[in-house]
């Protein structure tokens, strides 16, 4: 979703995309000055991914041609979402920004219904889980960027995690305004601090490639196995200056891809700061502003500043609860009273990322934080979201996340039959 064109930062800083960057200090200023935009809160955009399955043969991965044949007839969607296909064939809806979380949910639900119907007509189905529970990783998207990313991961120590991330995970991404400048530090800290609690609430990926992983959110585990310089949280020691924190993070992160002119994988560890300061040349040249912007798109922290805030830590979850999940997260960020209460509620578990992914609400501190956060949001929920909020409240009060329901069904029915029923809209 685009709140503001990424080129706006280039124009404001009077640096054309093909301009060279003089030094790491200049790159740091550029990143820090352009990463957030001062303004009110209130706009919300959503990005929702689902795995594509053939219900008649759930072990088979539908081809690129099959999926794109369905999508050829889906533009425009009534809610304005853009459809794209992830490397492994997961289908993503990306909404335009809406004025408030409820309109954003309504538009996404409308577009999702159209998408489901189109895939059902083609004999395919969409499954909303954080990780593909059945099939081994496999890339079907032929795009050059993804081919180069695959090569990058193959050459790195995190190759298997990189392959799983690219082709076997699915998430919900929430995009919100950065807000007023004087509140950026607190807002970014809260977006991070909410992460473990929201992961525990939404964990929905207990299996990967046909096996139980021992984690409630295997998707989060996969991200945790990757290079922390690319995928870890960006906060510095105090978190008082998000722009500086993001600049430091981005410059230390290794370069993944270089346009030369097509995407080319960098198969050795080269921090961007080494490239920009001339210690290493990639593509036989120094980086430009466009190279820096491209580098930023290859960094995947759980909260990423892109003039707005991308919140990237939620598993893909079922229809029964996702509207309540999104309402809760946005309310805890955008409502000033709710934000203050939420910051207090999650403080004891603000860095418990792995614990949340591994055991979810079985951790007593996460259980308490989750129930407190949902109670804060439930007091503000509109009537049209009362049913999904009631369902979510009941699940969390019982200490259950979506992964528990999925695991129970697999144990009772078997994994392939469970996936088949989900792909057909059952369960």
């Amino acid at each position: 979703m685009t709140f503001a064109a990424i080129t706006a930062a280039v124009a404001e800083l009077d640096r054309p995309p093909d301009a060279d960057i003089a030094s790491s200090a200049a790159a740091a200023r550029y990143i820090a000055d352009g990463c957030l935009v001062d303004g009110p809160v209130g706009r919300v955009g959503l990005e929702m991914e689902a795995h594509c399955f053939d219900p008649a043969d759930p072990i088979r991965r539908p081809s690129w041609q099959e999926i794109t044949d369905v999508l050829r007839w889906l533009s425009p969607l009534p809610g304005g979402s853009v459809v794209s296909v992830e490397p492994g064939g997961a289908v993503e809806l990306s909404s335009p920004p809406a004025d408030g979380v409820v309109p954003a949910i309504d538009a996404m639900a409308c577009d999702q219904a159209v998408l489901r119907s189109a895939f059902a007509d083609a004999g395919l189905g969409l499954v909303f889980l954080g990780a593909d529970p059945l099939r081994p990783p496999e890339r079907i998207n032929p795009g050059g960027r993804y081919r180069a990313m695959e090569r990058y991961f193959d050459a790195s120590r995190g190759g298997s995690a990189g392959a799983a991330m690219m082709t076997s995970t699915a998430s919900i991404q929430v995009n919100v305004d950065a807000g007023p400048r004087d509140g950026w530090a607190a807002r970014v800290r809260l977006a991070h601090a909410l992460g473990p609690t929201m992961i525990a609430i939404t964990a929905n990926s207990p299996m990967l490639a046909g096996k139980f992983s021992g984690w409630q959110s295997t998707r989060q585990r996969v991200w945790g196995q990757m290079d922390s310089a690319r995928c870890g949280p960006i906060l510095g020691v105090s978190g008082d200056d998000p722009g500086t924190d993001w600049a430091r993070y981005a410059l230390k992160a290794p370069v993944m891809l270089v346009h030369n002119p097509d995407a080319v994988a960098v198969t050795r560890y080269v921090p961007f700061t080494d490239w920009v300061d001339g210690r290493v040349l990639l593509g036989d040249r120094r980086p430009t502003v466009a190279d820096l912007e491209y580098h930023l798109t290859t960094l995947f922290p759980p909260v990423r500043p892109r003039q707005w805030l991308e919140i990237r830590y939620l598993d893909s979850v079922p229809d029964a609860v996702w509207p309540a999940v999104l309402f809760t997260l946005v309310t805890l960020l955008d409502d000033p009273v709710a934000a203050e209460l939420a910051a207090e509620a999650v403080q004891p578990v603000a860095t418990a990322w792995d614990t949340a992914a591994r055991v979810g609400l079985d951790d007593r501190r996460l259980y308490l934080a989750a129930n407190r956060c949902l109670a804060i949001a439930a007091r503000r929920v509109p009537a049209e979201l009362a049913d999904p909020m009631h369902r979510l409240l009941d699940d969390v009060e019982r200490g259950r996340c979506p992964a528990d329901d999925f695991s129970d069904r697999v144990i009772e029915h078997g994994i392939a039959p469970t996936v088949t029923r989900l792909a057909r809209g059952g369960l």
Side-chain angles (χ1 to χ4, degrees):
M1 183 201 63
T2 302
F3 275 0
I6 198 68
T7 53
V10 178
E12 290 169 8
L13 295 172
D14 195 27
R15 298 298 304 274
D18 60 351
D20 290 337
I21 307 172
S23 65
S24 56
R29 287 194 300 272
Y30 176 85
I31 296 168
D33 289 347
C35 70
L36 296 173
V37 171
D38 187 16
V41 302
R43 292 181 301 168
V44 179
L46 305 175
E47 300 181 24
M48 299 188 66
E49 298 171 342
H51 304 283
C52 182
F53 280 91
D54 177 355
D57 184 3
I59 297 177
R60 183 182 78 86
R61 192 179 291 267
S63 69
W64 173 252
Q65 189 66 52
E66 288 176 274
I67 294 173
T68 54
D69 281 348
V70 176
L71 301 183
R72 185 175 299 139
W73 310 104
L74 283 183
S75 181
L77 287 169
S81 295
V82 174
V83 190
S84 59
V85 182
E86 295 298 300
V91 181
E92 178 181 87
L93 284 176
S94 301
S95 77
D99 291 327
V101 64
V102 174
I105 290 169
D106 289 344
M108 178 58 71
C110 184
D111 288 349
Q112 210 178 70
V114 174
L115 190 71
R116 283 181 189 272
S117 178
F119 274 87
D121 289 345
L124 301 174
L126 299 176
V127 174
F128 292 83
L129 288 165
D132 187 328
L134 187 57
R135 302 170 299 195
E138 179 187 354
R139 178 178 61 83
I140 67 161
N141 188 322
R145 173 181 167 96
Y146 296 132
R147 288 199 307 271
M149 286 179 68
E150 188 174 62
R151 184 166 181 237
Y152 171 87
F153 287 124
D154 284 345
S156 71
R157 289 180 296 177
S160 59
M165 179 277 287
M166 287 179 64
T167 67
S168 300
T169 61
S171 67
I172 298 174
Q173 181 175 301
V174 183
N175 302 302
V176 294
D177 287 303
R181 182 183 298 272
D182 61 2
W184 284 352
R187 187 164 172 79
V188 171
R189 282 197 300 269
L190 179 57
H192 281 82
L194 286 167
T197 298
M198 295 304 301
I199 288 169
I201 290 171
T202 62
N204 191 34
S205 47
M207 302 186 72
L208 180 67
K211 297 179 181 179
F212 281 104
S213 68
W215 291 61
Q216 294 285 65
S217 177
T218 306
R219 185 196 63 83
Q220 185 65 25
R221 183 195 184 197
V222 165
W223 284 96
Q225 290 174 321
M226 295 174 64
D227 186 354
S228 62
R230 183 179 306 284
C231 301
I234 66 172
L235 284 181
V237 175
S238 66
D240 287 337
D241 187 349
T244 298
D245 288 340
W246 178 228
R248 183 182 298 114
Y249 183 105
L251 292 175
K252 287 182 178 179
V255 181
M256 174 186 278
L257 307 174
V258 174
H259 276 301
N260 203 28
D262 296 325
V264 177
V266 179
T267 56
R268 51 188 171 133
Y269 199 97
V270 179
F272 193 90
T273 188
D274 285 359
W275 187 20
V276 74
D277 283 334
R279 286 185 286 273
V280 177
L281 296 182
L282 298 175
D284 296 323
R285 59 181 175 78
R286 299 276 289 271
T288 64
V289 169
D291 289 316
L292 176 54
E293 291 287 1
Y294 192 64
H295 172 65
L296 297 178
T297 71
T298 69
L299 307 180
F300 311 112
V303 179
R304 182 166 68 171
R306 293 193 64 190
Q307 302 186 3
W308 60 93
L309 295 180
E310 291 181 347
I311 299 173
R312 307 169 54 87
Y313 44 62
L314 303 176
D315 275 9
S316 183
V317 294
D319 288 348
V321 295
W322 72 255
V325 167
L326 299 183
F327 178 83
T328 297
L329 179 56
V330 174
T331 298
L332 298 182
L333 285 167
D334 282 4
D335 181 300
V337 175
E340 185 175 349
L341 294 170
E344 180 183 355
V346 302
Q347 190 278 329
V349 291
T351 60
W353 298 90
D354 282 353
T355 300
R358 188 174 65 253
V359 302
L361 296 171
D362 282 348
D363 180 88
R364 183 63 180 172
R365 297 185 308 158
L366 285 162
Y367 173 83
L368 292 173
N371 277 278
R372 288 183 65 186
C373 284
L374 284 181
I376 294 165
R379 289 195 291 269
R380 295 160 171 82
V381 74
E384 59 264 42
L385 296 180
D387 287 346
M389 181 60 79
H390 178 77
R391 167 67 182 270
L392 188 61
L393 282 165
D394 182 63
D395 286 347
V396 172
E397 196 279 329
R398 292 185 295 126
R400 291 180 66 84
C401 60
D404 294 309
D405 292 335
F406 179 75
S407 296
D408 288 350
R409 290 163 182 161
V410 168
I411 291 168
E412 181 178 357
H413 303 292
I415 180 172
T418 297
V419 171
T420 292
R421 292 176 70 180
L422 288 171
R424 288 176 173 155
L427 298 174

